[in-house]
Structure formats: C-alpha cells, structure tokens
Amino acid sequence: QVRNMLQSWWDVTSEQGLREMITWLEKEGGHTVYFIQWLRKLETMTFMRRRELIAHLKETDRDEYVRVKLVEHYRLDLGRYTILAFDIARITLLVRSGYDMGWIPEDEAWEILLRQADKIIQQRMWSSHFDYLYSYIVGRAFGMRKDVAGILESIESAHQLITNYSSPWLSHAPWPTFDETKPADEPAVKRSVH
C-alpha cells in the first residue's frame, strides 16, 4: 500500500527516488516556491490586471485558475511562510513512508524530522496551531487544485483539532511545544508524537 501511494502520488519507485524527492522538497520548496512565484507576479499587477488574468485563466487553464484564485484570496492572510506547512507535511509523509519501506533507518528519519521541527521553531514560522493548520490547508488546496469552498470545509474540520481539549494537538503538543531559543530537542519531539 505504501509502495502504491509513493508511485501514484509521487512517481517514486525506489529508495534513490524517495531520497531525491525529500532533498528536492527540503532545498527547493515544492509547492511553496510555485505559490510565491504567483504571489510575486500578482503583487506587481494592478487590481484590474489581476481580474483580467483570472478571467483569462478561467477560460483557458482551470488548474492555474484555481491556484491563482487561491493565491489572490489568501495572500494577505498567510504571512511570509505562505503554504510551507503543506510542504513540511509532505516531507514528513515521505520520511515515514521511507521508514515503513525500510529505505530510511529510524535514526536518519528522526534527523530529517528534527530539521523540519527546527524550521518551525527557530524561524518562528507560525504563532499557533491554527496558523500552522491554515498554512497547511491552503497549501493542500493549492497543491491539489481545490477551490475556496474546499478550504472552508477543511478549516471547519480542523477546528476540532484546535478547540477540543481531548485533541492530541492540545493535550500532547501545546503551542509552542519547545524552547524557541534552542534547536529541537529529540526526546521532546518524540514525546510529542507518541
């Protein structure tokens, strides 16, 4: 099942391919880079020019139309880290899959995951669970080319994670989970996910 997911979602069929995908996401940024490219392009346009572009894309390229609408709609809400939470989650999924396949040993998997935790902690990317979830949800919609209606439904579902006190997000991993002045502590990270 993991092998099928890696092949159908990622076109990954080998350990080398998996490692290359993880490296690419960590160094290149995945969907975040594409989102930022559209963001910068839209910021240089007048309001009328943005409307014209969106109307043109609606007629000619549905996938890009959906993506540009998402960038336009959420560009002011997301802050400077835009949809990076989604790419971090994608790295996490790949690492876990690599571990499950026997391609990545446990110690190396934790090393990669701790680098992701350090990104969040050291750079103070998000100030709350909600900010992280919002970045993830918009990023997922951008990556999967889902419209704004799909995002609103996801936000309602995610609301349970951040308001229900029995949720693992609140009971096991309060925000911020770690001392922001130090690198992520491996035992603390491991405790928060068990």
Side-chain angles (χ1 to χ4, degrees):
Q1 191 168 352
V2 172
R3 185 179 301 275
N4 290 340
M5 180 271 299
L6 286 171
Q7 186 170 1
S8 65
W9 290 8
W10 297 90
D11 199 26
V12 168
T13 57
S14 68
E15 177 182 344
Q16 179 181 343
L18 177 77
R19 289 177 178 280
E20 288 171 358
M21 186 62 70
I22 291 169
T23 299
W24 175 74
L25 281 168
E26 281 195 292
K27 294 189 183 216
E28 302 296 324
H31 290 298
T32 303
V33 171
Y34 195 47
F35 187 97
I36 290 170
Q37 287 171 349
W38 269 118
L39 179 64
R40 288 185 178 145
K41 186 173 185 174
L42 292 176
E43 287 176 342
T44 65
M45 296 179 177
T46 65
F47 176 79
M48 289 307 296
R49 179 64 189 114
R50 287 195 309 264
R51 298 280 69 76
E52 290 169 3
L53 172 66
I54 290 169
H56 172 73
L57 290 173
K58 185 176 184 179
E59 298 298 320
T60 61
D61 189 337
R62 186 199 178 280
D63 288 346
E64 287 305 294
Y65 164 73
V66 169
R67 284 181 163 165
V68 170
K69 283 286 288 181
L70 288 170
V71 173
E72 174 72 2
H73 189 82
Y74 291 101
R75 66 190 173 92
L76 299 177
D77 296 339
L78 288 171
R80 67 185 175 132
Y81 296 107
T82 65
I83 61 171
L84 187 58
F86 182 60
D87 283 331
I88 289 173
R90 295 169 73 210
I91 292 168
T92 303
L93 173 67
L94 288 173
V95 169
R96 180 180 177 156
S97 300
Y99 173 77
D100 288 345
M101 293 291 296
W103 293 345
I104 298 178
E106 183 178 1
D107 60 332
E108 184 182 354
W110 278 113
E111 182 182 313
I112 297 167
L113 294 174
L114 287 168
R115 281 198 305 265
Q116 306 320 302
D118 276 343
K119 283 181 194 174
I120 295 168
I121 295 163
Q122 294 298 320
Q123 296 178 27
R124 298 179 186 202
M125 292 183 170
W126 299 281
S127 61
S128 67
H129 283 107
F130 178 78
D131 289 346
Y132 178 84
L133 279 170
Y134 197 63
S135 173
Y136 172 83
I137 290 167
V138 175
R140 184 174 184 268
F142 184 82
M144 301 179 88
R145 299 164 196 89
K146 302 272 184 189
D147 60 15
V148 174
I151 289 177
L152 297 177
E153 186 177 304
S154 295
I155 288 173
E156 285 183 31
S157 298
H159 190 259
Q160 289 300 313
L161 289 172
I162 59 173
T163 59
N164 182 337
Y165 287 106
S166 64
S167 162
W169 284 58
L170 296 180
S171 61
H172 298 296
W175 198 278
T177 305
F178 312 104
D179 181 346
E180 297 170 351
T181 63
K182 300 177 185 171
D185 173 53
E186 184 173 344
V189 171
K190 288 180 178 179
R191 280 193 306 276
S192 74
V193 295
H194 287 301

